[in-house]
């Protein structure tokens, strides 16, 4: 059965330099289906925290568990597996792969996780169909599927990044300032679309940004400088 707490961060500290501590998060918990906005000014450690949650950076101490599985102490290979299976990641620079077409970009997580592939339908035909459906729901026509990433507008690329994060029903989407390059109208539309989609697929969301005006779109808002014991003390 899927657990109800998708993310549990406890007493985690991290620093890039052994002599300095950048982050000390006492507790950060996200329940299934919940959307959480995490605000912090530039340089406050938002991307670093997402790197810790994604298992890309190892914490100096503390516990990070994703869907009840403790990430700290796992091998790098197992962490990669956990990330592929449970997380959908939307990067600030989107990180779509330019040498793959849209369909290949969207279905990528299913190549790295058997569970994501299974949830998306199992067979390659069914996975392609799931990608087609997602892209359609996000307002991109089917004729785009075989196109290269470079032929899309930024707004379309962002929708492809959302489809890639959502395919195969990850438990938690982490989004790192994906709207910072957008004007306010497109930014609002993008967040509404992301929220509608994640509700359909029952994914939790952790969305980080420096822009406090976005807080209204989420169930709950947190302030990283307040959450961070290093900065608070
Ligand atoms: P934010 O995403 O909130 O802007 P970051 O997590 O990117 O903040 O960075 C937090 C701090 O850590 C900054 O002072 C930044 O310069 C530093 N930092 C980020 N990445 C590295 C790295 N790979 N090595 C050393 N310092 C880093
Ligand atoms: Mg950042």
């Amino acid at each position: 059965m899927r657990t109800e707490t998708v993310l549990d961060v406890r007493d985690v500290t991290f620093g890039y330099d052994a002599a300095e501590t950048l982050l000390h998060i006492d507790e950060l918990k996200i329940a299934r289906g919940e959307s959480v906005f995490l605000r912090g000014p530039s340089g406050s450690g938002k991307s670093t925290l997402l790197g810790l949650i994604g298992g890309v950076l190892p914490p100096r101490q503390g516990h990070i568990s994703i869907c009840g599985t403790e990430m700290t102490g796992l091998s790098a290979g197992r962490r990669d597996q956990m990330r592929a299976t449970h997380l959908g990641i939307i990067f600030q620079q989107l990180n779509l792969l330019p040498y793959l077409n849209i369909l290949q970009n969207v279905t990528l997580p299913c190549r790295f996780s058997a569970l994501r592939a299974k949830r998306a339908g199992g067979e390659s035909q069914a996975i392609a169909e799931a990608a087609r459906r997602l892209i359609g729901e996000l307002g991109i026509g089917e004729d785009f599927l075989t196109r290269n990433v470079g032929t899309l507008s930024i707004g379309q690329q962002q929708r492809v990044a959302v489809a890639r994060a959502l395919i195969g029903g990850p438990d938690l989407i982490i989004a790192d300032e994906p709207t910072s390059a957008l004007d306010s109208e497109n930014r609002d539309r993008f967040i509404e679309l992301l929220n509608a989609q994640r509700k359909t697929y029952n994914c939790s969301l952790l969305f980080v940004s420096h822009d406090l005006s976005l807080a209204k779109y989420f169930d709950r808002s947190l302030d990283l400088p307040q959450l961070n014991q290093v900065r608070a003390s």
Side-chain angles (χ1 to χ4, degrees):
M1 208 185 92
R2 292 173 130 198
T3 53
E4 287 313 296
T5 299
V6 295
L7 174 70
D8 196 354
V9 175
R10 267 174 208 286
D11 200 25
V12 161
T13 62
F14 177 83
Y16 287 101
D17 182 336
E20 270 184 57
T21 301
L22 170 67
L23 289 173
H24 181 181
I25 306 295
D26 194 32
E27 186 181 79
L28 171 61
K29 225 171 161 172
I30 298 183
R32 177 163 308 283
E34 196 180 23
S35 69
V36 176
F37 178 70
L38 181 66
R39 192 207 72 94
S42 178
S44 60
K46 301 182 298 298
S47 296
T48 303
L49 179 58
L50 294 187
L52 289 163
I53 291 168
V56 181
L57 297 170
R60 194 180 284 161
Q61 65 157 53
H63 301 280
I64 297 172
S65 71
I66 308 274
C67 298
T69 299
E70 176 70 41
M71 295 281 278
T72 42
L74 293 182
S75 67
R78 277 285 293 142
R79 284 204 308 270
D80 290 346
Q81 199 58 48
M82 284 292 293
R83 177 169 58 248
T85 299
H86 296 289
L87 300 183
I89 304 177
I90 305 174
F91 300 92
Q92 182 164 7
Q93 305 301 335
L94 303 180
N95 293 13
L96 298 176
L97 301 182
Y99 49 86
L100 299 180
N101 69 26
I102 305 305
L103 179 64
Q104 290 163 334
N105 264 282
V106 174
T107 55
L108 204 59
C110 299
R111 280 167 59 184
F112 293 117
S113 163
L115 189 62
R116 289 279 285 273
K118 192 169 157 219
R119 284 189 200 152
E123 304 295 321
S124 61
Q125 201 111 23
I127 293 170
E129 186 47 48
R132 197 168 285 133
R133 194 170 52 241
L134 265 169
I135 286 178
E137 285 166 1
L138 288 162
I140 298 179
E142 275 207 18
D143 48 323
F144 281 90
L145 284 171
T146 52
R147 287 228 217 153
N148 282 331
V149 170
T151 66
L152 301 186
S153 71
I154 281 288
Q156 288 168 329
Q157 289 185 33
Q158 278 170 323
R159 288 157 196 235
V160 171
V162 171
R164 183 177 65 177
L166 281 164
I167 197 157
D171 299 279
L172 173 66
I173 292 175
I174 56 179
D176 194 353
E177 312 215 44
T179 58
S180 52
L182 296 183
D183 58 51
S184 60
E185 195 181 318
N186 278 307
R187 186 195 64 197
D188 294 354
R189 199 177 301 148
F190 173 84
I191 297 176
E192 278 164 3
L193 210 53
L194 172 60
N195 260 333
Q197 287 293 313
R198 65 151 201 93
K199 277 181 192 155
T200 303
Y201 290 87
N202 197 24
C203 306
S204 307
L205 171 66
L206 176 59
F207 187 108
V208 308
S209 173
H210 64 277
D211 185 353
L212 190 58
S213 73
L214 303 182
K216 61 178 184 277
Y217 291 106
F218 303 88
D219 295 336
R220 188 154 66 91
S221 296
L222 298 168
D223 191 59
L224 183 56
Q226 272 177 22
L227 203 64
N228 190 1
Q229 307 284 306
V230 176
R231 299 295 166 104
S233 61

